[in-house]
Amino acid sequence: MLVGCDASAHGARTALTRKVFWFAVIGVASTVAQSMPYWVLRHWPPPILANLASLLVVTVLNTEANCRLPFHGSAVRALQAHLAASGLFVLAYVVTSGAGLHFRHYRPTASPAAETLVLAPSFALVTVVRFTVLRMIVFKGRHR
């Protein structure tokens, strides 16, 4: 028996712990998933197009993974989650493109690998923001 807290509080902490665990797994996978195609594509198109292509794929995959793992059992349909998350795509594109353009401004001869390493934290930041918005707005209070 738990001392000092009731079973519902314990259940809420357990659910949050599970969500945070899956968020971390999805976050790392999403950062890698965006970094790899960006690095490959960066050898041909300009940075903004490489970022657009990698972000398009990762946004869809990240939202789907969040629907299936941390927010499993939510009454929100996948299509609703993807539509809501699509607004985050614009923010993510502005943040990651801005970071890339800023870096390219100061290091115009940097290699695609160096560019990708510098952009990885912005990819990770976007993943944190996406999860937070999904959790606080899209899936808020909609669990069965």
Side-chain angles (χ1 to χ4, degrees):
M1 176 163 221
L2 297 172
V3 178
C5 64
D6 61 27
S8 64
H10 177 67
R13 279 194 308 276
T14 301
L16 182 59
T17 300
R18 182 183 65 80
K19 285 180 179 126
V20 170
F21 168 77
W22 281 117
F23 159 71
V25 170
I26 293 167
V28 169
S30 294
T31 299
V32 171
Q34 187 165 2
S35 297
M36 295 308 291
Y38 179 86
W39 178 72
V40 170
L41 291 172
R42 188 53 195 96
H43 289 84
W44 297 287
I48 290 182
L49 293 178
N51 186 38
L52 180 66
S54 67
L55 189 58
L56 277 170
V57 171
V58 170
T59 297
V60 172
L61 295 175
N62 178 282
T63 302
E64 189 62 29
N66 276 307
C67 286
R68 292 179 183 265
L69 296 169
F71 301 114
H72 177 72
S74 170
V76 174
R77 292 191 173 110
L79 180 60
Q80 290 173 302
H82 283 285
L83 289 174
S86 67
L88 294 169
F89 174 83
V90 174
L91 175 64
Y93 186 67
V94 168
V95 167
T96 56
S97 292
L101 291 172
H102 184 77
F103 179 70
R104 296 293 299 167
H105 176 74
Y106 289 103
R107 299 284 311 270
T109 60
S111 70
E115 198 172 292
T116 303
L117 285 174
V118 167
L119 287 177
S122 70
F123 298 155
L125 173 65
V126 164
T127 299
V128 170
V129 170
R130 188 180 298 122
F131 175 83
T132 303
V133 169
L134 287 173
R135 182 173 185 274
M136 294 179 76
I137 296 172
V138 177
F139 294 104
K140 181 179 180 180
R142 294 191 173 119
H143 292 281
R144 290 185 217 162

PDB file of all heavy atoms in Angstrom, residues 111-129:
ATOM      1  N   SER A 111      30.937  21.798 -43.952  1.00  0.00           N
ATOM      2  CA  SER A 111      30.502  20.567 -44.611  1.00  0.00           C
ATOM      3  C   SER A 111      29.057  20.248 -44.228  1.00  0.00           C
ATOM      4  O   SER A 111      28.578  20.702 -43.183  1.00  0.00           O
ATOM      5  CB  SER A 111      31.399  19.408 -44.194  1.00  0.00           C
ATOM      6  OG  SER A 111      31.158  19.074 -42.846  1.00  0.00           O
ATOM      7  N   PRO A 112      28.373  19.454 -45.049  1.00  0.00           N
ATOM      8  CA  PRO A 112      27.024  19.014 -44.671  1.00  0.00           C
ATOM      9  C   PRO A 112      27.005  18.276 -43.330  1.00  0.00           C
ATOM     10  O   PRO A 112      26.050  18.398 -42.570  1.00  0.00           O
ATOM     11  CB  PRO A 112      26.607  18.091 -45.812  1.00  0.00           C
ATOM     12  CG  PRO A 112      27.364  18.617 -46.999  1.00  0.00           C
ATOM     13  CD  PRO A 112      28.700  19.053 -46.420  1.00  0.00           C
ATOM     14  N   ALA A 113      28.057  17.534 -43.028  1.00  0.00           N
ATOM     15  CA  ALA A 113      28.119  16.820 -41.745  1.00  0.00           C
ATOM     16  C   ALA A 113      28.173  17.811 -40.575  1.00  0.00           C
ATOM     17  O   ALA A 113      27.470  17.638 -39.576  1.00  0.00           O
ATOM     18  CB  ALA A 113      29.326  15.890 -41.713  1.00  0.00           C
ATOM     19  N   ALA A 114      29.000  18.849 -40.698  1.00  0.00           N
ATOM     20  CA  ALA A 114      29.082  19.859 -39.635  1.00  0.00           C
ATOM     21  C   ALA A 114      27.755  20.596 -39.497  1.00  0.00           C
ATOM     22  O   ALA A 114      27.292  20.849 -38.376  1.00  0.00           O
ATOM     23  CB  ALA A 114      30.200  20.851 -39.946  1.00  0.00           C
ATOM     24  N   GLU A 115      27.144  20.894 -40.608  1.00  0.00           N
ATOM     25  CA  GLU A 115      25.842  21.560 -40.605  1.00  0.00           C
ATOM     26  C   GLU A 115      24.798  20.699 -39.887  1.00  0.00           C
ATOM     27  O   GLU A 115      24.018  21.193 -39.080  1.00  0.00           O
ATOM     28  CB  GLU A 115      25.428  21.786 -42.059  1.00  0.00           C
ATOM     29  CG  GLU A 115      24.368  22.797 -42.279  1.00  0.00           C
ATOM     30  CD  GLU A 115      24.198  23.048 -43.764  1.00  0.00           C
ATOM     31  OE1 GLU A 115      25.104  23.600 -44.403  1.00  0.00           O
ATOM     32  OE2 GLU A 115      23.128  22.662 -44.269  1.00  0.00           O
ATOM     33  N   THR A 116      24.799  19.414 -40.179  1.00  0.00           N
ATOM     34  CA  THR A 116      23.843  18.492 -39.560  1.00  0.00           C
ATOM     35  C   THR A 116      24.078  18.398 -38.057  1.00  0.00           C
ATOM     36  O   THR A 116      23.128  18.395 -37.275  1.00  0.00           O
ATOM     37  CB  THR A 116      23.940  17.102 -40.209  1.00  0.00           C
ATOM     38  OG1 THR A 116      23.721  17.239 -41.619  1.00  0.00           O
ATOM     39  CG2 THR A 116      22.905  16.151 -39.641  1.00  0.00           C
ATOM     40  N   LEU A 117      25.328  18.336 -37.645  1.00  0.00           N
ATOM     41  CA  LEU A 117      25.634  18.274 -36.206  1.00  0.00           C
ATOM     42  C   LEU A 117      25.176  19.530 -35.476  1.00  0.00           C
ATOM     43  O   LEU A 117      24.697  19.451 -34.346  1.00  0.00           O
ATOM     44  CB  LEU A 117      27.135  18.066 -35.996  1.00  0.00           C
ATOM     45  CG  LEU A 117      27.654  16.667 -36.274  1.00  0.00           C
ATOM     46  CD1 LEU A 117      29.173  16.625 -36.170  1.00  0.00           C
ATOM     47  CD2 LEU A 117      27.028  15.662 -35.317  1.00  0.00           C
ATOM     48  N   VAL A 118      25.307  20.670 -36.127  1.00  0.00           N
ATOM     49  CA  VAL A 118      24.862  21.913 -35.511  1.00  0.00           C
ATOM     50  C   VAL A 118      23.336  21.974 -35.464  1.00  0.00           C
ATOM     51  O   VAL A 118      22.757  22.486 -34.512  1.00  0.00           O
ATOM     52  CB  VAL A 118      25.456  23.123 -36.273  1.00  0.00           C
ATOM     53  CG1 VAL A 118      24.777  24.415 -35.874  1.00  0.00           C
ATOM     54  CG2 VAL A 118      26.952  23.201 -36.032  1.00  0.00           C
ATOM     55  N   LEU A 119      22.677  21.416 -36.475  1.00  0.00           N
ATOM     56  CA  LEU A 119      21.226  21.464 -36.531  1.00  0.00           C
ATOM     57  C   LEU A 119      20.542  20.427 -35.639  1.00  0.00           C
ATOM     58  O   LEU A 119      19.371  20.590 -35.294  1.00  0.00           O
ATOM     59  CB  LEU A 119      20.741  21.283 -37.965  1.00  0.00           C
ATOM     60  CG  LEU A 119      20.971  22.486 -38.869  1.00  0.00           C
ATOM     61  CD1 LEU A 119      20.516  22.184 -40.282  1.00  0.00           C
ATOM     62  CD2 LEU A 119      20.253  23.703 -38.335  1.00  0.00           C
ATOM     63  N   ALA A 120      21.228  19.382 -35.261  1.00  0.00           N
ATOM     64  CA  ALA A 120      20.616  18.324 -34.444  1.00  0.00           C
ATOM     65  C   ALA A 120      19.932  18.874 -33.185  1.00  0.00           C
ATOM     66  O   ALA A 120      18.815  18.440 -32.865  1.00  0.00           O
ATOM     67  CB  ALA A 120      21.640  17.248 -34.100  1.00  0.00           C
ATOM     68  N   PRO A 121      20.529  19.821 -32.460  1.00  0.00           N
ATOM     69  CA  PRO A 121      19.811  20.363 -31.291  1.00  0.00           C
ATOM     70  C   PRO A 121      18.505  21.075 -31.668  1.00  0.00           C
ATOM     71  O   PRO A 121      17.530  21.001 -30.922  1.00  0.00           O
ATOM     72  CB  PRO A 121      20.802  21.349 -30.673  1.00  0.00           C
ATOM     73  CG  PRO A 121      22.140  20.869 -31.130  1.00  0.00           C
ATOM     74  CD  PRO A 121      21.915  20.298 -32.506  1.00  0.00           C
ATOM     75  N   SER A 122      18.476  21.738 -32.821  1.00  0.00           N
ATOM     76  CA  SER A 122      17.206  22.381 -33.212  1.00  0.00           C
ATOM     77  C   SER A 122      16.177  21.331 -33.599  1.00  0.00           C
ATOM     78  O   SER A 122      14.983  21.498 -33.347  1.00  0.00           O
ATOM     79  CB  SER A 122      17.410  23.405 -34.332  1.00  0.00           C
ATOM     80  OG  SER A 122      17.731  22.792 -35.558  1.00  0.00           O
ATOM     81  N   PHE A 123      16.615  20.226 -34.202  1.00  0.00           N
ATOM     82  CA  PHE A 123      15.700  19.117 -34.494  1.00  0.00           C
ATOM     83  C   PHE A 123      15.132  18.562 -33.185  1.00  0.00           C
ATOM     84  O   PHE A 123      13.939  18.280 -33.081  1.00  0.00           O
ATOM     85  CB  PHE A 123      16.399  17.988 -35.254  1.00  0.00           C
ATOM     86  CG  PHE A 123      16.947  18.362 -36.610  1.00  0.00           C
ATOM     87  CD1 PHE A 123      18.000  17.653 -37.145  1.00  0.00           C
ATOM     88  CD2 PHE A 123      16.415  19.392 -37.357  1.00  0.00           C
ATOM     89  CE1 PHE A 123      18.517  17.961 -38.403  1.00  0.00           C
ATOM     90  CE2 PHE A 123      16.921  19.719 -38.613  1.00  0.00           C
ATOM     91  CZ  PHE A 123      17.969  19.007 -39.125  1.00  0.00           C
ATOM     92  N   ALA A 124      15.996  18.415 -32.181  1.00  0.00           N
ATOM     93  CA  ALA A 124      15.559  17.897 -30.882  1.00  0.00           C
ATOM     94  C   ALA A 124      14.592  18.881 -30.206  1.00  0.00           C
ATOM     95  O   ALA A 124      13.576  18.462 -29.628  1.00  0.00           O
ATOM     96  CB  ALA A 124      16.760  17.630 -29.987  1.00  0.00           C
ATOM     97  N   LEU A 125      14.879  20.169 -30.275  1.00  0.00           N
ATOM     98  CA  LEU A 125      13.997  21.185 -29.696  1.00  0.00           C
ATOM     99  C   LEU A 125      12.610  21.119 -30.330  1.00  0.00           C
ATOM    100  O   LEU A 125      11.592  21.174 -29.633  1.00  0.00           O
ATOM    101  CB  LEU A 125      14.592  22.581 -29.884  1.00  0.00           C
ATOM    102  CG  LEU A 125      13.689  23.745 -29.478  1.00  0.00           C
ATOM    103  CD1 LEU A 125      13.424  23.723 -27.978  1.00  0.00           C
ATOM    104  CD2 LEU A 125      14.307  25.060 -29.905  1.00  0.00           C
ATOM    105  N   VAL A 126      12.570  20.968 -31.635  1.00  0.00           N
ATOM    106  CA  VAL A 126      11.294  20.866 -32.346  1.00  0.00           C
ATOM    107  C   VAL A 126      10.516  19.642 -31.862  1.00  0.00           C
ATOM    108  O   VAL A 126       9.292  19.695 -31.681  1.00  0.00           O
ATOM    109  CB  VAL A 126      11.542  20.820 -33.870  1.00  0.00           C
ATOM    110  CG1 VAL A 126      10.336  20.323 -34.630  1.00  0.00           C
ATOM    111  CG2 VAL A 126      11.962  22.194 -34.364  1.00  0.00           C
ATOM    112  N   THR A 127      11.207  18.547 -31.616  1.00  0.00           N
ATOM    113  CA  THR A 127      10.554  17.336 -31.126  1.00  0.00           C
ATOM    114  C   THR A 127       9.953  17.569 -29.739  1.00  0.00           C
ATOM    115  O   THR A 127       8.839  17.128 -29.462  1.00  0.00           O
ATOM    116  CB  THR A 127      11.558  16.168 -31.101  1.00  0.00           C
ATOM    117  OG1 THR A 127      12.007  15.941 -32.434  1.00  0.00           O
ATOM    118  CG2 THR A 127      10.938  14.902 -30.562  1.00  0.00           C
ATOM    119  N   VAL A 128      10.669  18.263 -28.870  1.00  0.00           N
ATOM    120  CA  VAL A 128      10.160  18.574 -27.531  1.00  0.00           C
ATOM    121  C   VAL A 128       8.912  19.462 -27.629  1.00  0.00           C
ATOM    122  O   VAL A 128       7.909  19.211 -26.960  1.00  0.00           O
ATOM    123  CB  VAL A 128      11.248  19.258 -26.666  1.00  0.00           C
ATOM    124  CG1 VAL A 128      10.662  19.798 -25.369  1.00  0.00           C
ATOM    125  CG2 VAL A 128      12.387  18.297 -26.386  1.00  0.00           C
ATOM    126  N   VAL A 129       8.961  20.469 -28.470  1.00  0.00           N
ATOM    127  CA  VAL A 129       7.816  21.362 -28.638  1.00  0.00           C
ATOM    128  C   VAL A 129       6.622  20.586 -29.198  1.00  0.00           C
ATOM    129  O   VAL A 129       5.491  20.738 -28.728  1.00  0.00           O
ATOM    130  CB  VAL A 129       8.167  22.560 -29.544  1.00  0.00           C
ATOM    131  CG1 VAL A 129       6.930  23.360 -29.922  1.00  0.00           C
ATOM    132  CG2 VAL A 129       9.191  23.450 -28.861  1.00  0.00           C
TER     133      VAL A 129
END
